[in-house]
Amino acid sequence: MPGFVSEKKRLTQSSMCFSTFVQQNVPNHSKIDPFGRYRVSDNTHVPILPGLPDDVAKLCLSLVPRTNFPAMGAVSKRWRSFIQSNELITIRKLAGMLEEWLYVLTVDKDGKESHWEVLDCFGNKHQVLPPMPGEFKVGSGVVVLHGKLLVMAGCTVSDGAVSATSDVYQYDSCLNCWSKLSDMNVARFDFASAEVNGKIYVVGGYGVEGESLSSAEVYDPDTDKWTIIESIRRPRWGCFACGFQGKLYVMGGRSSFTIGNSKFVDVYDPENNTWCEMKNGCVMVTAHAVLGNKLFCIEWKNLRKLAIFDPEDNSWKMVPVPVTGSTSIGFRFGILDGKLLLFSLTNEPGYRTLLYDPEAVPGSEWKTTNVKPSGSCFCSVTIKA
């Protein structure tokens, strides 16, 4: 065990040494083309690292800092396949090497241009993601699954005309690249989406003709296939979803069968493919995030209070948001290191992000942090890899 710890420390602290090691141990099945470049054979049965069993080689690769993964993915198909696999995340978790980064979608003041940027818990900006393929869209669903970011559907706007889409793109946080996944069955925007038990669910929203939807579907990453499931009881849009205790909760937004805001909570049980309802939901939610086993929301009617939902007893608790000196009272949420970040919708000079720690002793839950996106936060997700 001491040897494992020292090896982990050595590889973690010196990515340069590891790079030198890789250059000195180019797989013996590689050849050099006329231009002096390595051309890797398609043979997938060669060792990951010559002279080492594959399980040991996988551990060695897993201990390398995350910033090196994109370059490592270009070494061979075996390396690339392993780096984009769920096995890499599992081994890094067991080795205590997972790095938690915040991916923030920032939008310009006109709401026309956007980009994803990556922050760590110290506020350091690691990178800007490559542009997502396809047209610029709004009203998309954003979910994290197995260390990958999925951006689903949404609508394009051209000359005032709104067009719903069904395309789905996936960003691999280890290889720093986008890829296209299977389209959804129903084009939609302003819908609810969440991960439950390793699958992605989308519910409601607006359709191609601008009609409100009650349809729902599920994505299985193992088959890259979307499947229609039982619909909710009423059309719903502008809503959001989250997963608790193996079930899907859909709340907020509006419904065409109610006047004003909908307080119904639609709960889906994947095992039985059935929906049920609760009536103590939240209305017109402007920000939401799941932290631990609780849901944190801010409602439009009460922008200076956190509404905290506990699924154990379906109860809500209200926590005042302190005045920060900002003239803005609108926020977007982020999560890092088990704490809730409140990003101001107004990018004011000198403004510092609010931080809420649910595990802090009473009276000291609120602080400020240097973690701050370069522009207005449209949405954010946390990825551990």
Side-chain angles (χ1 to χ4, degrees), residues 59-363:
L59 176 60
C60 291
L61 297 187
S62 299
L63 297 180
V64 176
R66 183 170 162 183
T67 51
N68 295 76
F69 287 159
M72 291 166 57
V75 172
S76 70
K77 288 188 175 182
R78 288 294 309 275
W79 282 36
R80 185 178 183 86
S81 177
F82 173 64
I83 289 171
Q84 64 184 160
S85 70
N86 296 338
E87 187 179 9
L88 170 72
I89 307 295
T90 300
I91 297 176
R92 282 176 66 81
K93 182 178 181 180
L94 292 173
M97 290 296 295
L98 286 182
E99 297 174 65
E100 186 178 59
W101 289 354
L102 186 70
Y103 290 71
V104 183
L105 179 60
T106 64
V107 183
D108 66 11
K109 62 181 180 180
D110 297 324
K112 296 181 179 179
E113 298 293 334
S114 65
H115 70 268
W116 287 90
E117 59 187 45
V118 185
L119 307 172
D120 63 20
C121 59
F122 301 105
N124 301 316
K125 188 163 96 171
H126 283 269
Q127 64 190 76
V128 173
L129 270 59
M132 189 180 76
E135 298 180 76
F136 174 73
K137 294 188 287 290
V138 296
S140 300
V142 178
V143 176
V144 171
L145 179 65
H146 302 319
K148 297 176 176 61
L149 168 68
L150 275 70
V151 181
M152 305 166 290
C155 68
T156 59
V157 181
S158 177
D159 298 326
V162 176
S163 178
T165 66
S166 60
D167 48 355
V168 181
Y169 294 95
Q170 174 181 274
Y171 171 76
D172 189 315
S173 61
C174 291
L175 293 176
N176 190 35
C177 63
W178 292 93
S179 59
K180 180 83 166 60
L181 301 181
S182 294
D183 288 356
M184 292 162 48
N185 292 288
V186 179
R188 64 182 82 214
F189 62 97
D190 282 352
F191 56 94
S193 60
E195 179 270 332
V196 181
N197 298 334
K199 295 183 179 181
I200 303 295
Y201 292 83
V202 297
V203 182
Y206 291 107
V208 174
E209 302 298 328
E211 74 280 18
S212 54
L213 302 174
S214 58
S215 63
E217 50 188 304
V218 59
Y219 175 75
D220 186 340
D222 293 332
T223 61
D224 186 28
K225 182 179 179 181
W226 290 91
T227 304
I228 297 291
I229 61 174
E230 185 74 19
S231 298
I232 51 178
R233 300 186 183 186
R234 67 186 67 78
R236 195 166 194 166
W237 67 92
C239 47
F240 70 93
C242 51
F244 288 117
Q245 301 169 338
K247 295 182 179 180
L248 178 73
Y249 287 68
V250 181
M251 60 182 77
R254 299 174 74 93
S255 170
S256 58
F257 293 159
T258 60
I259 298 175
N261 307 323
S262 173
K263 292 196 70 171
F264 286 99
V265 180
D266 290 301
V267 183
Y268 177 73
D269 184 347
E271 290 189 3
N272 301 316
N273 189 28
T274 57
W275 290 93
C276 66
E277 287 183 344
M278 302 186 320
K279 294 186 178 181
N280 64 333
C282 50
V283 298
M284 292 299 288
V285 173
T286 61
H288 71 278
V290 175
L291 182 55
N293 62 347
K294 291 183 173 61
L295 168 69
F296 293 76
C297 299
I298 287 185
E299 296 178 288
W300 176 81
K301 66 178 182 179
N302 207 342
L303 296 174
R304 278 296 183 184
K305 285 189 178 180
L306 284 180
I308 306 176
F309 175 69
D310 189 340
E312 291 288 345
D313 55 7
N314 296 329
S315 65
W316 290 90
K317 180 177 74 171
M318 305 299 289
V319 176
V321 177
V323 176
T324 64
S326 171
T327 58
S328 170
I329 56 173
F331 299 100
R332 289 287 185 265
F333 287 164
I335 293 176
L336 268 180
D337 193 29
K339 300 172 181 62
L340 184 70
L341 306 176
L342 279 69
F343 299 116
S344 172
L345 293 182
T346 303
N347 193 16
E348 300 178 1
Y351 176 79
R352 298 189 68 189
T353 303
L354 278 172
L355 180 150
Y356 178 78
D357 184 356
E359 302 299 325
V361 297

